[in-house]
Amino acid sequence: QVQLVESGGGSVQAGGSLRLSCAVSGYTYSSYCMGWFRQVPGKAREGVAAIGSDGSTSYADSVKGRFTISQDNAKNTLYLQMESLKPEDTAMYYCAAVYWTSGSGSCVSNYGMDYWGKGTLVTISS
């Protein structure tokens, strides 16, 4: 059973930084597309960043240059480093994963995912 558990959310002032973590267990494949999504109540879920098992990364335009997705395969952990945070980054952030190979198309920030965590809340005050 695949489980994704996010952590690292919190409240910071605009301009600050946060690092989100996603602990992954039960995923036995070496091929994957993993990503971070966010959602504000009443709005559609937005793909923020994604990373493929080939090392490729993708970012939403709204976070390019400010957010960095990375992984530590030894720890089975996905990260999202967020810098220069803005009030509009306030949202519930979700970690997600799907079995993926490069033949399935690019692992992009809004790629369709099969496995989801329960989310961690990020609040940015002005």
Side-chain angles (χ1 to χ4, degrees):
Q1 182 180 357
V2 179
Q3 288 190 322
L4 306 172
V5 180
E6 302 93 337
S7 61
S11 298
V12 298
Q13 290 190 326
S17 302
L18 279 174
R19 187 176 81 158
L20 305 183
S21 299
C22 174
V24 182
S25 61
Y27 189 88
T28 59
Y29 302 105
S30 59
S31 299
Y32 55 83
C33 176
M34 297 189 67
W36 289 94
F37 293 73
R38 64 188 182 186
Q39 189 167 24
V40 175
K43 292 190 176 182
R45 185 171 57 201
E46 175 189 20
V48 174
I51 186 166
S53 48
D54 63 351
S56 60
T57 57
S58 171
Y59 296 91
D61 288 342
S62 58
V63 306
K64 278 181 182 176
R66 301 189 299 121
F67 290 12
T68 303
I69 189 170
S70 64
Q71 60 192 348
D72 185 333
N73 290 331
K75 295 182 179 180
N76 293 328
T77 302
L78 181 72
Y79 300 101
L80 185 68
Q81 180 68 43
M82 306 187 293
E83 307 282 351
S84 303
L85 284 161
K86 304 175 181 179
E88 51 264 44
D89 294 319
T90 294
M92 185 70 81
Y93 282 72
Y94 298 91
C95 170
V98 66
Y99 177 79
W100 171 87
T101 63
S102 57
S104 304
S106 299
C107 173
V108 293
S109 58
N110 61 350
Y111 199 85
M113 301 291 182
D114 285 341
Y115 307 103
W116 294 86
K118 294 183 178 181
T120 185
L121 183 62
V122 172
T123 304
I124 312 301
S125 57
S126 57

